[in-house]
Amino acid sequence: MNRKELLQKAGMAVAVSGILSTLSAEDHDHSGAMPTAGKSKYAKAMMAAVHCQLSAEVCLSHCLTELGKGDKAMAVCAASTREVISLCDSFVKLASQNSSFTKKLANLCIEVCEACAKECDKHANHHAVCKECRDSCLACVKELKKV
């Protein structure tokens, strides 16, 4: 693992740790306040989506580095991770608001995460970040199917 990968993974770990502590923290009730992620029926799906989004960010960065070295096989992987990043972010935003569109977006997110996992699987034996992204996408799909 090179220094850049170490820093990316450390950053992702810090972000996930912060989100986990936020979701597991005891919430105090503010009259009229919107529900928080810790009380949301979508909390597990949101956590899976955040983790998936972060894994896709790391994978995208790796893909761009490889593309810069001339590995054009990573272009489709980069495109699929960008889609995952956008949709997982949107899912978390809607789910945190208990939007009536959460289920519909979850279904689209499942489709995009499955496509990304399939693409990352092509590179999983050669690139650890692609394997991690694939695994994260599949875990996200599992949780989103419960929505």
Side-chain angles (χ1 to χ4, degrees):
M1 177 182 322
N2 64 32
R3 184 172 185 236
K4 183 178 178 182
E5 289 173 338
L6 177 65
L7 290 174
Q8 288 172 336
K9 288 181 183 190
M12 187 166 71
V14 169
V16 170
S17 174
I19 292 165
L20 284 173
S21 66
T22 299
L23 286 178
S24 64
E26 297 253 332
D27 296 317
H28 45 280
D29 194 11
H30 292 283
S31 177
M34 291 190 64
T36 62
K39 292 181 181 180
S40 173
K41 62 184 175 182
Y42 305 120
K44 287 184 179 180
M46 287 191 296
M47 281 305 305
V50 167
H51 185 263
C52 186
Q53 180 182 0
L54 292 172
S55 294
E57 289 278 5
V58 172
C59 190
L60 174 59
S61 178
H62 175 75
C63 289
L64 294 175
T65 299
E66 294 301 309
L67 281 165
K69 295 177 184 175
D71 185 356
K72 295 184 185 203
M74 303 305 285
V76 178
C77 193
S80 68
T81 56
R82 285 194 345 238
E83 293 171 343
V84 164
I85 292 163
S86 296
L87 280 175
C88 284
D89 182 57
S90 296
F91 172 79
V92 170
K93 288 176 181 174
L94 286 184
S96 68
Q97 300 169 34
N98 288 314
S99 169
S100 60
F101 296 102
T102 301
K103 174 78 173 153
K104 286 182 180 181
L105 187 57
N107 289 330
L108 181 57
C109 202
I110 288 167
E111 188 177 335
V112 170
C113 285
E114 287 174 338
C116 186
K118 185 177 178 181
E119 186 58 37
C120 283
D121 192 52
K122 295 176 184 176
H123 310 285
N125 290 333
H126 300 80
H127 303 282
V129 292
C130 290
K131 180 184 181 304
E132 290 170 21
C133 186
R134 177 202 64 199
D135 294 346
S136 182
C137 281
L138 294 175
C140 187
V141 166
K142 182 178 177 182
E143 286 302 320
L144 290 172
K145 286 183 176 181
K146 297 176 187 176
V147 170

